[in-house]
Structure formats: C-alpha cells, structure tokens
Amino acid sequence: MATSLARAETPESSPPPVRVITHGPKHHWFGYYDKLEFDPTDRFVLSMEVDFQHRSPTPDDEIKIGMVDLVDDDRWIELGTSRAWCWQQGCMLQWVPQTESTILWNDRDGDHFVCRIMDVATRKLRTIPHPVYALHSNGKTAVSTSFSRLAEVRPGYGYAGVPDPDRDDPAPSHSGISSIDLTTGEQRLILSLAEVAQFGPPMRTMAGAKHKFNHLLYSPDGSRFAFLHRWTGPLGRQTRLLTAKPDGTDLRVVDDNGLTSHYWWRDPGHILALSSHPPYGMRFFLFEDGGKKSIEVVGADAMIGDGHCSYLPGGEWILNDTYPQDGFQYPYLYHPQTSRKVSLGRFRAPEQYVGEWRCDTHPRFSRDGKSVVIDAPSSRDGRQLHLIDVSGIVG
C-alpha cells in the first residue's frame, strides 16, 4: 500500500485521510457516480487516461483504459483504449456485476459504436456491436440510448464520430432506449422517443421541443429501470423522471415538475432525487415509484443544492457532493436517521474546468462502503483520482 497521504483542504480539525492514486503527466478520471469502479475485492480501481484537458474530444482522440492496484503502490495497469468517450461519463467503463474480473467499456469501430468486454485476469476481449449505458444487477443485460443524439443535444454526455441520423426529428419513433443482451449482443428497442413524448398528460413545454433520454439506471433488484426524459424547446429545458420494467412495459412518471436532476434508487420501491416541490423549493426528495407516489424531504437544510447522490451499501449513509462554491467542491456523507452531515474535505475547482470539460467530483464508493474515490484537479497534474478513507465515519 502506498504510504504518501495528502489531506483534503477542509475547515474540520480531523478530515478523513485522502490519497491521490493517479499521477501526471497524463490526466486520469472515471466520470459518473452510478457505475462500479471498484472490483469485488476493492483492490483494483478503474480509470481512464488522457493527455489533454479543456477542450471537446474529437473523433480521433483516443483514451487509455486501465486500473489502479491499491495494494501495489497504486500501480497503473493498462488494459485497452477507446475512441467513444466524453468528459462527464467517460466511455461507461465499469465492472460487470456478478463477475470476479470482467469489465466493459464503449468504443468506436469506424462509423458505429460498440462495447468491449474484457476479463482482466486473462485479458480475453470480445466485442458486441452496440454501446451500453447501465447494467442490470445480473450482469447479463443492459439498457442503452443514442450517444450520437446526446452528443448533438447535450455536449459532454455523448460521443463524437458518428453523426445523429435523426438530428432533424424532434422525437423519432425508431430511436430511444434499447435492451442489450451482453452475451449475444442482440439489441431490441423497448421505448422510443416518440412513445415517451406522447406518454402522460399533455405538457405545453413540449411544443416545438427536441427530446432525448439520459441517466439510465436499474433498480437494485433489476425489476425496473429509471431514466430522465428531457426536452428543449422555446421554454427552455425540461425534465421528467420515469421508470419502466426491463422490457419497457409498465411505464410510470415518478416526477414531472420539469426540474428533476440527479437521482439514485434507495431500494426497489424508492428513488432519491433532487427536485422542487412546494413549499420546500429545490431539495432532495424520496419518491415512491408507483402506488400512492408519496414524497418526503431528505436532508432538509443539510442537503441544499444539486449533487451526485448515492446510498452507501447498507442504506444508512447518503454519499453526495456539491458543485463549485467559492472555487471549491465539497463531497460529504449524510446520515438520515440522525441528521448528521460529515464533510469529506474541500477540493479545488479551478476556473478553467468549466462547461463540458468541468471536473465534477462524482463520488463513487467501494464495494464494502469504506472508501470513496472522486475526480478532482490536483495542483500539479490536472484531474486525478483521489481515494478517501471513510471507514472512521461509517464504522
């Protein structure tokens, strides 16, 4: 285990230990907060590597895929490459559930996107002909959406290199959310943009709007998946949070006030999400999926502002962060039962990390819930992975 420790800048007297586990001259990051970054043993941490910052990726920009060995002096182990990536969510790099040593990531072969699946123990690599977004807990299926459309309407979340063939169609009937068999590579459209745009009560904000899907995530037991339906028109960008069964049936609107943001399944029947409901304003709420659709405020004044929320294993602690405040970002833990909030430090957010290539901390937890990894710029090496030991907090 590497012994050099760096303390996060924090006003607390005893901040949790922090170690920078990747180093320059290349830049390293993982991206989104809803993927498995740690292997089942919590020894290996996945990461991507790139040699530039502060501009959009081009179709020719290739990144390296690798992992950090936490028990061998944070040794970097290179595994592959990708030319299908973005700053906010990378290439969907993640460990495959129910496997000991299998990872996957998206890539591009000529004029189409694909998914690479690798056993890191044997280095055996295979390819399926479709990119993936979120993985079912069984490790056998996935859901996905159009990364070409995301690149067109939401820079920072899609991939360059394959133009959206439906760019002039506000809600195409042959594009949307697909189910993918990770063994055979078979893809099946289960929800189209046209279908979802017409679902539910008519909304005036949809007039003249262009639609997309983003932020897909299965429930813990895989019985349903959630997604954000977003549209942008003359009245600006609006959002609905919806859920469906894995085959796209039993579609439900969980929150349709237009302001839903980051979310996480607490359990198969409840979703934690940032939204706005009177008389509370913008807060984190716990939504019931279906049934009476009750909601409750979570965190009250302790969890103000948007952040990338998740529940640590066991469901007792919420892991979250903030966007830049006075030049710093603040990951933290919150304990709903006791209303206890614990800062995990403050991390610099230099002005050049803005817009599409901003560096959100996107906190991700280890399988045992005792470690957290974030993306953050270091003073010398640009964006790098930081490992935070939270075992002294969560027990």
Side-chain angles (χ1 to χ4, degrees):
M1 179 74 72
T3 56
S4 59
L5 294 179
R7 293 284 183 176
E9 296 178 87
T10 174
E12 292 188 1
S13 57
S14 300
V18 180
R19 187 170 83 244
V20 182
I21 60 173
T22 57
H23 305 279
K26 299 293 182 68
H27 312 291
H28 301 85
W29 89 113
F30 182 75
Y32 232 45
Y33 66 103
D34 57 357
K35 307 287 185 281
L36 290 175
E37 185 177 12
F38 288 77
D39 83 306
T41 70
D42 286 330
R43 172 175 177 170
F44 298 105
V45 177
L46 293 173
S47 175
M48 294 164 291
E49 182 182 86
V50 68
D51 58 7
F52 69 90
Q53 300 189 98
H54 314 314
R55 68 167 174 82
S56 302
T58 71
D60 295 326
D61 285 323
E62 183 177 80
I63 60 172
K64 291 183 178 179
I65 307 300
M67 60 185 181
V68 177
D69 186 344
L70 297 181
V71 302
D72 188 10
D73 201 29
D74 299 336
R75 179 170 59 95
W76 169 261
I77 303 170
E78 188 171 322
L79 299 170
T81 62
S82 174
R83 288 190 298 153
W85 63 279
C86 56
W87 284 116
Q88 296 309 304
Q89 297 181 314
C91 56
M92 297 299 175
L93 175 65
Q94 57 194 295
W95 295 92
V96 178
Q98 304 300 322
T99 70
E100 295 297 320
S101 56
T102 303
I103 66 171
L104 59 71
W105 69 90
N106 292 334
D107 198 357
R108 179 168 55 88
D109 274 345
D111 61 355
H112 64 283
F113 298 123
V114 299
C115 178
R116 314 291 189 192
I117 303 176
M118 172 185 280
D119 185 322
V120 300
T122 64
R123 299 298 176 94
K124 183 179 179 180
L125 180 70
R126 63 187 179 90
T127 299
I128 59 175
H130 307 287
V132 306
Y133 199 111
L135 303 187
H136 192 284
S137 56
N138 63 15
K140 297 178 180 179
T141 59
V143 283
S144 192
T145 190
S146 172
F147 291 97
S148 295
R149 191 171 188 86
L150 285 175
E152 172 74 21
V153 299
R154 189 74 167 101
Y157 291 84
Y159 306 148
V162 181
D164 179 13
D166 302 303
R167 61 182 304 174
D168 296 325
D169 189 336
S173 60
H174 55 272
S175 178
I177 295 175
S178 296
S179 176
I180 299 173
D181 186 314
L182 296 179
T183 300
T184 66
E186 179 184 359
Q187 175 181 259
R188 182 169 59 90
L189 182 68
I190 57 175
L191 283 172
S192 72
L193 282 161
E195 177 184 359
V196 175
Q198 296 168 6
F199 181 79
M203 304 181 74
R204 66 183 184 90
T205 55
M206 290 189 187
K210 189 172 184 177
H211 300 256
K212 69 174 182 292
F213 296 140
N214 204 357
H215 304 315
L216 287 61
L217 186 63
Y218 282 100
S219 62
D221 65 353
S223 61
R224 300 184 66 79
F225 70 91
F227 62 97
L228 296 185
H229 168 214
R230 284 180 164 163
W231 60 96
T232 304
L235 297 179
R237 189 180 79 174
Q238 300 287 311
T239 303
R240 294 192 297 179
L241 173 62
L242 297 95
T243 66
K245 290 183 177 179
D247 62 359
T249 62
D250 192 19
L251 189 62
R252 303 172 184 173
V253 176
V254 176
D255 188 33
D256 64 356
N257 75 333
L259 298 172
T260 314
S261 185
H262 301 100
Y263 71 89
W264 185 268
W265 290 88
R266 187 192 72 176
D267 55 57
H270 297 86
I271 298 175
L272 177 71
L274 186 90
S275 188
S276 178
H277 288 272
Y280 307 104
M282 291 296 292
R283 290 289 191 277
F284 277 92
F285 296 88
L286 192 64
F287 293 90
E288 187 175 7
D289 177 29
K292 61 184 179 181
K293 295 186 178 179
S294 64
I295 63 173
E296 63 179 83
V297 178
V298 177
D301 293 338
M303 293 178 64
I304 298 176
D306 203 353
H308 305 92
C309 59
S310 62
Y311 281 86
L312 292 188
E316 292 189 17
W317 289 89
I318 294 172
L319 175 63
N320 203 9
D321 65 353
T322 71
Y323 281 98
Q325 301 174 0
D326 300 322
F328 292 91
Q329 296 182 91
Y330 299 83
Y332 63 89
L333 287 168
Y334 178 74
H335 193 258
Q337 287 187 328
T338 60
S339 300
R340 181 187 176 198
K341 182 179 181 180
V342 183
S343 172
L344 301 184
R346 63 175 187 170
F347 296 82
R348 292 192 180 277
E351 293 181 356
Q352 61 267 42
Y353 293 88
V354 295
E356 179 187 340
W357 45 82
R358 66 188 180 278
C359 188
D360 299 339
T361 60
H362 290 150
R364 291 88 56 182
F365 53 80
S366 59
R367 303 290 184 104
D368 64 7
K370 295 182 179 181
S371 299
V372 170
V373 167
I374 65 168
D375 303 330
S378 69
S379 58
R380 297 180 305 171
D381 297 335
R383 68 184 74 211
Q384 302 293 342
L385 299 188
H386 295 61
L387 178 71
I388 307 174
D389 180 359
V390 298
S391 60
I393 301 170
V394 303

